[in-house]
Structures are given as structure tokens and as C-alpha cells.
Amino acid sequence: MVDLLVIGGERVAAAEGKTLEVIEPSTAVPMAEVAEAGPTDADRAVGVAMQAFEEGPWPRTSARERGRVLTNASLIIRERLEDLARLEARNGGKPIAAARGEIEIVANVFEYWGGAANKIFGESIPVVPPGIDLTLREPVGVCALITPWNFPLAIGSWKIAPALACGNTAIVKPASQTPLTTLALADVLAEAGLPDGTFSVLPGPGSTVAGALIADPRVSKISFTGSTEVGTLVMKEAANNITRVSLELGGKSASVIFADADLDVCVEKSIWAVFDNAGQDCCARSRAFVERPIYDEFVERFAKRAESIAVGEPLDEATEMGPLISQGQRQTSLDYIELGIGEGARRVTGGDVPDSPGFYLRPAVLADVRNEMRVAQEEIFGPVASFIPFDTEEAAIRMANDSPYGLSGSVWTQNLGCAIRVSKAIRAGVISVNSSSSVHTEAPFGGYKQSGIGREMGMHAAELYTELKNIFFSEA
């Protein structure tokens, strides 16, 4: 049975009749077949979304009522959490425990925006002429939301929920590898009370579907999460229509670990800062700068913990790390491991392929890395950790900032002054002290430099999906 496209809330076949197979990473065989959208489908979806924005009820629905719909969606997501988690686990190769956590995040995000919808405020401004000057936050229009394969529904919710809360219509282009939970979300939103015409889901190739959405002058807003290379192309194409763009792109995040860090906590948290989701995370702290007095001990303890990670089938409750998304993604990691060794890094453990079907790879630890090596500068997007010693606070800051990226990072120390100095000095959008948590539903998330433009999550996300209008009422 083919999982159909969603255009304006209606399930339809692709205009060209094409379908695509969705491969299960743990078995390397197809698990589903979905309709493959093309330019004609994108054109139709934009037309439906534009009509719904100009004439439909959603932008004219009170903010309170929009909030009720999103809150209803959060409740339905919680009711279906296990089914959605199992689908995400199989489709993305995620351990089932991690998949449950991601679907819980989705429910939390919709719950947050259900409560936030009627709290998107303007302001009054004192001006010189007699009268009243005020601002309004108005929906921007048709939003094209392009989501990645590594956290399909979680990252999707960061875009979908605020876009809808602000009164926009939305078209989601999920990654071809992982469209299943986004298609399922369309059914949830319809059941929650979202009006027809408001929401579409178009699985298909980015070069055709996303390209058609980005080039369409009727699209007012593009939100893209993916690689920096593709984000550059999105930005260039969007410039033709001066389309509003927000980008959440690549990262090569750093952990800076000082000698006074609590190593028991730091090792365990740092393990998952690199190897969660098999390292396929733009926030992965894949560069670890460790103060020299504890360098050898830290690397040894980290490698020992990495060797104990249970790599296995996603639906097994004991699994801690599943497969990578594809054979190509695994090969990229293997190539970087060999490249690092060729540049002079020392492989401490891991980096071997288990004798089993699927795209598995044991987590790899590379020591004695130099910051100028490619394994320390380029985003691998796989389970590969690089360790670099440092001698001074200034040296650690300099190396942490010696990167084209600036998404996230961690600072590990019991010295409050040091934590403040280093956190302020590292040029990244999200810094965690004595923690590896990058994402919080209530707080802004986004990067510096080539890691992106704009901030998702928290109330700051409303700025991405609204236009700011100023109105002056004269007394005369």
C-alpha cells in the first residue's frame, strides 16, 4: 500500500504517479512505499496554501482557537506516542528509547505553541507627533518547511508548530529517507481540527520538490534544516524573490573539558554528545578539547565507555545506538576514520563494521588529533569522536573558535569564573555548562557563522513566522 501525499489536508497520489521506497536502516531493505511528489504537486500545494491563506479560516481564526488546535494535536501525539516512536525508530534507525524521547519532544513543542499562540504580542511606542504608535505581529504567509532525515518529526515540529501558531499555512518537504512520521502527523493535525488547505506534506527529491517550493514567488517563508552546502543554495535561490529564509545548518561543536571537571558525569554525558543518533546530529560535540593533566585518563575512560555501548536493532529495548541512515553515510564515516589515521591521529577504539545486516558501525575514538586536521574541521555526521589536548584557557578558546561552524558546544569546569569566560568567548549559538543539552523547547536554538541564520524554539521562533507591522494613529 502506497502512503499518499498530503495536499491541503487531502491524501492524493503524485501527479506523475511516481513512488519511492523507504529503506529501513537496520535491515537495508524497504519498509514502506510513499508517493513521490514532483514540481506539479509542489505547484498545486502552493496554490492550495495560498488560497487558504488569502481566503481560508486559519489566518482569521483567533489566536486562542489556534492554540486549542495545537494543544489537541499534542494530546493526540501523546496518545499515539508508542506507534509514532516505533515508526520513527524503524525509519530512522533509532533506539526505541530515543525515539520515544523524540516523540515526547514533538508533543511538548505542540503543547508549548498551543499555549503561546495568544501570547505573540506587539508593543506601543512613544513617538514625537501626538497620537499612538503600535506594532503588530502578522503571519508571513505560505511557509515552505524543509526538514532533515536525522530527527524527522522533532525538527519538523520546531517549524510546523510555530508556523501554524502564528496563523500561516505550511508545506513540509520531509527528507526522502524519513517521510513516514511527518505524513502521520498530517492525520493528527486534521483530527485535531486544523482546517483543510492549511497543511501539506510532499515527500520527494530536494532538487525538484524543494527547488520548486523555493523558487515559487507565492512562498513567503522558507525554513531549512540540513547541510551548509545545500543551505547556501537555498539562500541563493530564495534571493531571487527576496523570500524570507531561516537556516539551521551544519556544526562541528566543541567540548572544552578542564582538569577540575567531574569526570564521572562528564564522560557519560560526553559519550552521548557524540554518539547519540549514531553521531548524526548537527550539535554533536565531535571535537573534545581536554586539558593536558587529565587528557590520557579522560581518553581512556571515554574509550572504555564507548566500547560498552550496546549497538543493535532499534526496537530492542537494550539498544543504545542503532545503525546509520544509509550505506553512504556509513562509508563517509569510515572514510573519515582512515583519513584521520592518515593525518596522524591514533585510533583508540571502534570504527569497525559489525557482521550483521543494516548500516551499523561501532563508535570510533580518535586521539592525538590536531585541530587543523580534516576530522577536526569537517562535519562527519557519524559516530567519530576526536580528542585534542590543550594547555591554557586561551588556547582552548582559540581552537574551539577555529572552525567555520558555530552551532553548539559544552564547557566542563567547577570554576564559575572560567565557565563564564569561556562560554562568552566561544562563538556559538548554544553553549551548555557541565551539560551536553543543546535543545530546550522554551529556549532559542540556532547558530553563528556557517551554522545558520535565525533562532528556532522558544518565543524567538515567532519572529521567523511573522511580519512586523508598524501603525501610527494621529490625534489630528
Side-chain angles (χ1 to χ4, degrees):
M1 181 177 175
V2 177
D3 207 346
L4 299 177
L5 311 178
V6 178
I7 296 183
E10 179 185 359
R11 290 281 185 161
V12 297
E16 298 179 8
K18 292 183 178 180
T19 62
L20 60 87
E21 288 184 330
V22 177
I23 304 299
E24 187 166 5
S26 64
T27 62
V29 299
M31 65 174 287
E33 185 178 12
V34 303
E36 180 182 318
T40 301
D41 303 296
D43 179 74
R44 179 183 172 191
V46 174
V48 169
M50 190 68 185
Q51 183 176 5
F53 183 73
E54 292 182 336
E55 304 173 12
W58 187 248
R60 292 152 194 86
T61 299
S62 71
R64 179 183 294 178
E65 183 56 33
R66 291 200 301 268
R68 286 197 183 107
V69 172
L70 299 182
T71 299
N72 289 343
S74 75
L75 295 172
I76 297 169
I77 291 165
R78 292 190 198 284
E79 290 172 359
R80 300 178 187 173
L81 190 146
E82 188 63 23
D83 289 343
L84 289 168
R86 291 177 70 84
L87 188 61
E88 198 77 299
R90 291 185 62 200
N91 193 183
K94 300 171 180 292
I96 184 61
R100 291 188 188 111
E102 289 180 30
I103 302 304
E104 181 69 26
I105 287 171
V106 175
N108 291 342
V109 170
F110 275 92
E111 182 180 67
Y112 178 88
W113 285 100
N118 64 350
K119 300 172 184 66
I120 300 169
F121 304 134
E123 56 191 349
S124 61
I125 303 170
V127 294
V128 173
I132 297 175
D133 192 280
L134 57 84
T135 64
L136 303 177
R137 283 276 176 193
E138 297 184 336
V140 68
V142 177
C143 298
L145 313 175
I146 305 169
T147 59
W149 50 257
N150 58 335
F151 297 100
L153 199 57
I155 291 178
S157 72
W158 304 355
K159 304 176 189 297
I160 296 163
L164 295 176
C166 292
N168 300 287
T169 56
I171 303 166
V172 183
K173 208 302 283 184
S176 296
Q177 299 97 320
T178 54
L180 301 181
T181 50
T182 306
L183 288 165
L185 179 66
D187 298 331
V188 169
L189 291 173
E191 187 175 332
L194 192 69
D196 291 343
T198 309
F199 187 70
S200 298
V201 182
L202 302 179
S207 58
T208 54
V209 182
L213 294 172
I214 295 164
D216 197 313
R218 297 170 295 176
V219 172
S220 297
K221 162 69 185 181
I222 300 160
S223 177
F224 172 81
T225 297
S227 71
T228 297
E229 292 75 17
V230 176
T232 302
L233 300 176
V234 170
M235 196 170 183
K236 288 178 179 178
E237 185 64 32
N240 293 326
N241 296 316
I242 318 296
T243 307
R244 278 73 175 137
V245 176
S246 56
L247 304 170
E248 196 271 281
L249 306 175
K252 191 67 178 178
S253 300
S255 283
V256 180
I257 302 162
F258 288 91
D260 66 342
D262 183 333
L263 293 193
D264 291 335
V265 176
C266 183
V267 168
E268 185 64 22
K269 297 289 186 182
S270 297
I271 278 285
W272 301 116
V274 186
F275 299 137
D276 181 50
N277 204 40
Q280 300 166 125
D281 183 354
C282 52
C283 290
R285 276 72 160 168
S286 54
R287 293 186 301 159
F289 300 100
V290 185
E291 196 167 11
R292 200 173 297 275
I294 62 166
Y295 178 79
D296 290 337
E297 179 186 359
F298 190 89
V299 170
E300 180 182 354
R301 291 176 64 167
F302 187 96
K304 183 177 180 180
R305 178 65 181 93
E307 290 169 351
S308 73
I309 290 175
V311 178
E313 202 276 328
L315 296 184
D316 186 338
E317 296 287 351
T319 294
E320 294 180 296
M321 192 180 97
L324 281 82
I325 192 68
S326 66
Q327 169 62 25
Q329 200 63 35
R330 179 172 67 181
Q331 188 60 50
T332 295
S333 296
L334 290 168
D335 291 345
Y336 268 106
I337 292 167
E338 292 307 311
L339 178 64
I341 294 170
E343 290 180 316
R346 171 171 58 92
R347 175 161 52 183
V348 182
T349 190
D352 54 308
V353 176
D355 183 17
S356 61
F359 310 123
Y360 293 94
L361 178 65
R362 298 193 193 282
V365 177
L366 300 180
D368 306 336
V369 173
R370 299 185 309 278
N371 198 47
E372 65 271 17
M373 290 180 179
R374 288 180 62 187
V375 289
Q377 288 292 315
E378 299 175 11
E379 185 174 39
I380 298 173
F381 230 58
V384 183
S386 296
F387 287 88
I388 303 168
F390 73 89
D391 294 301
T392 67
E393 182 179 311
E394 293 74 19
I397 293 168
R398 184 177 63 254
M399 289 191 292
N401 285 334
D402 182 16
S403 168
Y405 301 109
L407 186 54
S408 62
S410 291
V411 179
W412 293 88
T413 179
Q414 301 301 311
N415 184 317
L416 179 59
C418 176
I420 293 171
R421 289 191 303 273
V422 177
S423 298
K424 291 175 67 176
I426 293 177
R427 292 190 53 76
V430 183
I431 298 292
S432 303
V433 177
N434 295 327
S435 167
S436 295
S437 297
S438 293
V439 179
H440 307 277
T441 301
E442 305 82 3
F445 174 80
Y448 287 19
K449 299 188 280 189
Q450 292 186 25
S451 287
I453 299 171
R455 295 295 182 268
E456 297 184 308
M457 307 294 276
M459 291 302 294
H460 290 79
E463 299 172 10
L464 304 180
Y465 299 102
T466 55
E467 293 279 19
L468 186 63
K469 177 180 284 184
N470 182 259
I471 304 175
F472 173 66
F473 295 88
S474 174
E475 288 185 7

